[in-house]
Amino acid sequence: MKLIALAAATLLAAPALADEIWVTNEKDDTISVIDIDTLEVVRTIPTGERPRGITFSKDHSVVYICASDSDAVQVMDPETGEILHDLPSGEDPEQFVLHPDNRRLYIANEDDAITTVVDTETRKVIAQIDVGIEPEGMAVSPDGTIAITTSETTNMAHWIDTESEQLFANTLVDSRPRHAEFVKEGTELWVSSEIGGTITVFDVATQAEKGKIRFEVQGVHPDRVQPVGFELTEDEKTAFVALGPSNHLAVINADTFEVEDYILVGRRVWHMEFNADKSLLFTTNGVSGDVTVVDVAKRKAIKTIKVGRFPWGAALRPTN
């Protein structure tokens, strides 16, 4: 009885595992795993060639990785780092988004000008949808009825009905759209345009443009101010936007579309991810090969974490 009680007490006293940020390193073919409590890299995991997009299943039991130069979406066990299997993805998968049903994966195939829809359970392609040239950004509405693909060369956002898996609208954006997100409970779509230097805001109900966000970083040439990834706070009042080779984040009032602040981070900031309570933001800085940790409330960079070469994507893994 005493042994049982001691064992139970030991289990109860065991420290909880810290949440993690997983970062893909496209030049090293690895993932760097950052412990959020210590803000240190605790694991480096090999992947296929040129990993970029990364996302977890809804229960975080598996992680999906776009191994672009391997022409595969890899499915990994996050506990062991073992590649369980590959999914058929089409050529050069770059970004993807998991449908709220936790089953359909929408994948942008840059070289093929298509969006591939894969059933993650049967591991079969459900549909391949013709979109514009060099598709990259992917998003899905909170209710799961609409998926978006952005095409870099065609300069469009393509609107996909997820029931029929057919396009129902195409909307122009500025040059080289990179990233898309549904915000404000799915009533708005934001699309960043890297070369155009803007974020275009659409009304989802009408697909009409309702606003344009522009950026101007003091002391930085406009050609280097290139918006790519972005994330919004829990209340969706504030957006943080990665501005590429300007080496800054922009802080946006998501209601007025006005820029409120700029934060200096690493070189060629690309994508980002919050921790669970959104008090910290982790940015992937490709050229400097590191991650900047930003205190969200203070709007200030507080630490730099060295990772692999050319970090690209980031995803949160809660462990509790």
Side-chain angles (χ1 to χ4, degrees):
M1 185 66 71
K2 288 183 179 179
L3 288 174
I4 294 172
L6 180 61
T10 302
L11 287 171
L12 289 172
L17 294 173
D19 290 351
E20 298 168 341
I21 298 292
W22 285 45
V23 175
T24 54
N25 302 304
E26 63 174 327
K27 293 293 186 182
D28 278 352
D29 302 337
T30 62
I31 291 170
S32 296
V33 180
I34 297 170
D35 181 303
I36 291 178
D37 283 353
T38 64
L39 300 182
E40 300 289 346
V41 174
V42 293
R43 279 199 290 169
T44 301
I45 304 171
T47 67
E49 296 180 13
R50 201 179 182 191
R52 290 190 278 184
I54 181 170
T55 193
F56 283 87
S57 59
K58 303 302 182 185
D59 62 1
H60 296 90
S61 62
V62 297
V63 58
Y64 301 102
I65 304 148
C66 273
S68 298
D69 285 357
S70 296
D71 293 333
V73 169
Q74 298 185 313
V75 183
M76 178 184 288
D77 180 337
E79 292 290 339
T80 65
E82 177 189 358
I83 301 295
L84 302 174
H85 53 266
D86 290 352
L87 294 174
S89 66
E91 289 190 18
D92 194 18
E94 186 158 350
Q95 285 204 68
F96 49 23
V97 65
L98 186 62
H99 191 275
D101 66 11
N102 199 36
R103 184 163 176 168
R104 281 176 287 171
L105 198 64
Y106 288 78
I107 306 164
N109 297 120
E110 188 170 33
D111 288 351
D112 282 351
I114 60 172
T115 295
T116 298
V117 189
V118 174
D119 185 317
T120 59
E121 291 186 15
T122 65
R123 306 181 198 174
K124 295 185 182 298
V125 172
I126 298 170
Q128 288 192 307
I129 304 159
D130 290 328
V131 290
I133 300 171
E134 289 191 286
E136 172 158 345
M138 291 296 317
V140 65
S141 60
D143 65 5
T145 61
I146 302 170
I148 298 291
T149 303
T150 66
S151 54
E152 292 180 50
T153 301
T154 309
N155 301 327
M156 281 186 171
H158 307 282
W159 302 68
I160 300 167
D161 181 316
T162 60
E163 183 175 352
S164 65
E165 308 294 10
Q166 298 289 325
L167 291 178
F168 69 89
N170 298 286
T171 49
L172 283 170
V173 294
D174 292 325
S175 182
R176 204 170 184 181
R178 282 288 197 173
H179 189 70
E181 293 280 352
F182 285 90
V183 307
K184 302 296 181 66
E185 298 182 341
T187 61
E188 289 180 359
L189 176 74
W190 290 28
V191 179
S192 65
S193 296
E194 180 184 14
I195 302 304
T198 62
I199 288 179
T200 305
V201 181
F202 292 97
D203 181 284
V204 170
T206 64
Q207 298 90 56
E209 183 179 320
K210 65 181 292 186
K212 189 89 73 175
I213 303 170
R214 304 180 189 277
F215 308 92
E216 184 176 346
V217 182
Q218 186 174 2
V220 178
H221 193 279
D223 287 350
R224 297 185 63 80
V225 181
Q226 299 176 6
V228 188
F230 55 88
E231 294 287 342
L232 275 75
T233 52
E234 192 68 42
D235 61 7
E236 297 198 312
K237 297 290 187 184
T238 305
F240 292 83
V241 183
L243 296 179
S246 76
N247 309 332
H248 283 78
L249 297 182
V251 185
I252 307 296
N253 183 314
D255 293 326
T256 65
F257 307 148
E258 297 296 322
V259 179
E260 296 182 341
D261 206 352
Y262 291 100
I263 303 169
L264 180 64
V265 291
R267 296 174 61 197
R268 203 216 69 172
V269 56
W270 209 244
H271 286 288
M272 65 193 78
E273 179 67 294
F274 285 109
N275 65 342
D277 66 6
K278 297 201 173 185
S279 62
L280 298 175
L281 185 63
F282 296 76
T283 73
T284 60
N285 311 316
V287 173
S288 52
D290 53 34
V291 167
T292 301
V293 186
V294 174
D295 183 308
V296 171
K298 295 179 180 178
R299 299 182 179 180
K300 181 180 179 182
I302 59 173
K303 182 164 182 170
T304 299
I305 304 168
K306 194 68 180 173
V307 290
R309 292 182 300 159
F310 278 71
W312 197 96
L316 170 68
R317 182 193 176 214
T319 56
N320 297 314

